[in-house]
Amino acid sequence: MRLAELSERSGVPLATIKYYLREGLLAPGRQINARTAEYDEEHLRRLRLVRAMIQVGRLPVATVREVLGHVDDDSLGRPIRLGAAMWALPQAPEPDEDDEYVQAAQQEVSTLLDRLGWENAKQLTTISPAYRSLVVAVAAFRRLGYDWGAELLTPYAELMHRTAVLDLDNLETHPSEAERIEFAILGAILNEPVLQALHRLAQEEESTRRDGFE
């Protein structure tokens, strides 16, 4: 397809597509002549991914370029490609290692991982943004006087493990490795808000079921 058709099918303005091409977010098309290039379904899929990352995920162009660089690096295995791409997304601030609440939270999270038997997760604690985000959140709870520790977190973590199994099962339904990685990136941007919304709807449903409308 030509650039005009790519714009029409994707709903992305022509000028925006040209900008993405200049910024390296979209691979060049197959050159037909000096002035014309041809694009395919891979370009259409990538364009939709870029659009979701920028419009829905509110990611800056530099971050999108970094994430896509990891997605396209087929010299690496999937866990490393996926991990690097996910870690390039915006993350929680670094925990203050000297903060007593952070230290207590680190201990609780370590206890949690031991309870769950998540040995692989324990090996990644020094580099994993997800680990740091959890520590920051648990520390914030403890600072406010809530004992949000390993015992309370365990059933939530077990539910999240079931969710992760569903995520990876869905991942395997996509035919190519690039599509699987892209699906995982979209999941981080789009699926997490879906899960958050479902969580809140479930809370509303259960609260009303227990207490009724007032």
Side-chain angles (χ1 to χ4, degrees):
M1 75 187 89
R2 303 295 172 85
L3 202 57
E5 184 183 351
L6 181 62
S7 173
E8 182 179 354
R9 289 185 60 185
S10 66
V12 179
L14 199 59
T16 303
I17 297 177
K18 291 180 178 178
Y19 171 68
Y20 291 164
L21 286 166
R22 289 196 302 272
E23 292 294 324
L25 306 184
L26 195 64
R30 184 176 65 86
Q31 209 67 37
I32 297 175
N33 55 48
R35 297 177 58 85
T36 307
E38 189 172 60
Y39 301 86
D40 56 22
E41 296 298 321
E42 293 288 320
H43 287 93
L44 181 60
R45 194 185 75 247
R46 175 55 60 89
L47 184 55
R48 287 169 174 164
L49 173 64
V50 169
R51 201 60 168 165
M53 293 173 75
I54 291 175
Q55 282 200 325
V56 181
R58 306 292 184 186
L59 300 181
V61 167
T63 300
V64 174
R65 189 186 300 111
E66 182 181 357
V67 170
L68 294 178
H70 296 305
V71 169
D72 294 333
D73 188 356
D74 55 11
S75 69
L76 302 173
R78 185 198 299 175
I80 298 176
R81 288 170 71 185
L82 183 55
M86 300 295 251
W87 295 348
L89 297 174
Q91 306 293 339
E94 291 282 343
D96 180 0
E97 298 290 340
D98 295 326
D99 186 324
E100 62 178 297
Y101 293 103
V102 168
Q103 294 170 0
Q106 288 173 329
Q107 183 58 52
E108 288 294 337
V109 173
S110 178
T111 300
L112 171 69
L113 297 179
D114 285 335
R115 281 187 173 206
L116 296 166
W118 289 6
E119 292 302 321
N120 294 323
K122 284 203 73 170
Q123 293 177 19
L124 295 173
T125 55
T126 58
I127 58 174
S128 171
Y131 168 80
R132 294 196 296 271
S133 295
L134 181 56
V135 167
V136 168
V138 171
F141 267 110
R142 297 182 73 86
R143 193 174 289 112
L144 293 169
Y146 295 96
D147 187 18
W148 195 242
E151 185 174 350
L152 288 174
L153 283 169
T154 296
Y156 287 93
E158 290 169 343
L159 286 173
M160 287 301 98
H161 183 260
R162 289 166 57 191
T163 302
V165 170
L166 289 173
D167 287 341
L168 294 176
D169 286 346
N170 285 333
L171 205 68
E172 297 301 333
T173 65
H174 296 272
S176 73
E177 190 65 15
E179 285 178 281
R180 293 175 192 135
I181 301 296
E182 288 176 3
F183 179 79
I185 300 301
L186 278 176
I189 296 170
L190 303 178
N191 201 34
E192 288 184 5
V194 168
L195 293 176
Q196 182 184 65
L198 286 172
H199 184 201
R200 291 178 178 173
L201 282 171
Q203 287 177 327
E204 292 170 4
E205 170 66 21
E206 184 61 21
S207 177
T208 302
R209 182 177 294 159
R210 293 185 184 195
D211 303 323
F213 288 103
E214 293 184 2

